C-alpha cells in the first residue's frame, strides 16, 4: 500500500491510499493516521479511491482514527469509496459512524 499526505488549511490533511489495506499494511496506516489525529481538532480526509482491497484490520484502523479525532473535536472522513468498500461499511453498520463522501473536494467543504 502507498500512503501520501497533503496538508490543507485549516488544520486539515488529505491522506491518499493506493493498493491493499490489510493485516500487512494496516500498521503503516495506523502510524500515519495516529500522528494526524493526535493534533488538536484534527480534520482528516482519507482518499480511498485507490484502494483495491480492505480487510477488517483496515476497517478497524479507520474507525479507531475517527473515534480518536472525534474525541479531540475533529473528524476523519472517507472520500471516493468503491462500491465494495461502501457495501463493507454498510454490512458492518459503520456507514452512519464514519462519514463517506463522493470525492475529496466534497469531503473538504462539508462541515
Amino acid at each position: 500500500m502507498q500512503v501520501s499526505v497533503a496538508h490543507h488549511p485549516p488544520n486539515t490533511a488529505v491522506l491518499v491510499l493506493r493498493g491493499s489495506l490489510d493485516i500487512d499494511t494496516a500498521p503503516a496506516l495506523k502510524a500515519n493516521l495516529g500522528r494526524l489525529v493526535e493534533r488538536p481538532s484534527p480534520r482528516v480526509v482519507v482518499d480511498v479511491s485507490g484502494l483495491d482491497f480492505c480487510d477488517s484490520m483496515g476497517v478497524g484502523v479507520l474507525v479507531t482514527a475517527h473515534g480518536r479525532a472525534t474525541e479531540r473535536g475533529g473528524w476523519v472522513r472517507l472520500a471516493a469509496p468503491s462500491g465494495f468498500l461502501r457495501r463493507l461499511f454498510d454490512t458492518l453498520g459503520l456507514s452512519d459512524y464514519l462519514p463517506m463522501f463522493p470525492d475529496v473536494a466534497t469531503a473538504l467543504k462539508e462541515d
Side-chain angles (χ1 to χ4, degrees), residues 65-87:
H66 177 65
R68 294 183 108 186
T70 302
E71 289 171 358
R72 295 182 163 320
W75 44 255
V76 171
R77 297 174 175 173
L78 299 185
S82 65
F84 165 77
L85 197 56
R86 193 172 282 282
R87 284 189 304 277

Side-chain angles (χ1 to χ4, degrees), residues 1-3 15 17-31 33 46-48 50-63 78 84-85 88-89 98:
M1 180 183 66
Q2 296 174 326
V3 179
L15 192 69
L17 306 182
R18 301 278 181 255
S20 295
L21 177 53
D22 55 27
I23 192 167
D24 294 325
T25 59
L29 177 60
K30 183 178 180 180
L33 269 174
V46 182
D47 179 352
V48 293
L51 279 186
D52 52 27
F53 179 76
C54 181
D55 70 7
S56 61
M57 291 292 290
V59 170
V61 170
L62 294 168
V63 168
L78 299 185
F84 165 77
L85 197 56
L88 177 61
F89 274 78
L98 187 57

Side-chain angles (χ1 to χ4, degrees), residues 4-51:
S4 61
V5 180
H7 294 278
H8 297 263
N11 198 28
T12 304
V14 176
L15 192 69
V16 180
L17 306 182
R18 301 278 181 255
S20 295
L21 177 53
D22 55 27
I23 192 167
D24 294 325
T25 59
L29 177 60
K30 183 178 180 180
N32 279 287
L33 269 174
R35 284 190 293 274
L36 295 172
V37 300
E38 292 304 317
R39 301 176 304 169
S41 300
R43 298 160 43 117
V44 181
V45 174
V46 182
D47 179 352
V48 293
S49 63
L51 279 186

